Amino acid sequence: MRTDQDVALLVKRLQHRHHRALNAALAELGVSLVQWDTLRHLARHPDASLHDLAVLTFQTDQSFGSLATRMADRGLIERTPGPGRAVRHRLTPRGLELKEAGDVLVDRVIGASFAPLTPAERDQLGDLLTRLLDS
C-alpha cells in the first residue's frame, strides 16, 4: 500500500514532468510556462490586478511585478492605472495570439501525458484531486 508521502511524491513528479515538457514546447513560441499561464489568466480575468495575477500564477507580488514589466516591454500585456495605487493588466493582440498558439501546444503535451488513462479514469482523477483541494 502506498503511503501519503508516496502519493504526494507521485503528484509532484507528474507536475514536474508537465512543467519541463510545457516549458520545452512553449519555448518555440518564445514564452515560458509562467508567461503563457499569465496570458491564460488574463484572457479569463481581464483587468486583473498585479496581486490577483500573482496569486493565480503562484508568484509573489514582487516576482510577478518583474514578470509583468518584461511582458509589457515585449508587447504581450498592457498595464493601466486602476483605482488608487492598483495597476490593471490586459492582453494585447500579440499576447492573445501567443496565448492561443500556446493553448494548442499545452493541449498536445497534457493530452499525451494523460493518454494512458481512459476518459472515465481522467474524470475520476479530476474528482479526487478536486476533493482533496476542496477539503
Side-chain angles (χ1 to χ4, degrees), residues 56-111:
L56 289 168
T57 59
F58 305 99
Q59 306 286 312
T60 65
D61 287 3
Q62 182 178 0
S63 63
F64 188 81
S66 297
L67 175 68
T69 297
R70 291 191 307 273
M71 292 179 74
D73 289 347
R74 290 184 57 199
L76 304 178
I77 65 173
E78 57 187 20
R79 304 173 85 186
T80 58
R85 294 178 36 190
V87 175
R88 300 293 179 200
H89 299 80
R90 282 191 170 262
L91 287 177
T92 63
R94 175 71 179 135
L96 179 60
E97 179 183 305
L98 276 176
K99 180 255 179 219
E100 290 173 348
D103 288 346
V104 173
L105 298 175
V106 169
D107 287 346
R108 186 178 310 140
V109 168
I110 299 299

Side-chain angles (χ1 to χ4, degrees), residues 28-39:
E28 74 182 57
L29 299 177
V31 295
S32 67
L33 176 56
V34 71
Q35 290 169 330
W36 172 82
D37 194 35
T38 297
L39 298 174

Side-chain angles (χ1 to χ4, degrees), residues 17 110-119 121-122:
R17 183 172 75 184
I110 299 299
S113 178
F114 289 124
L117 301 178
T118 66
E121 289 170 329
R122 283 192 302 272

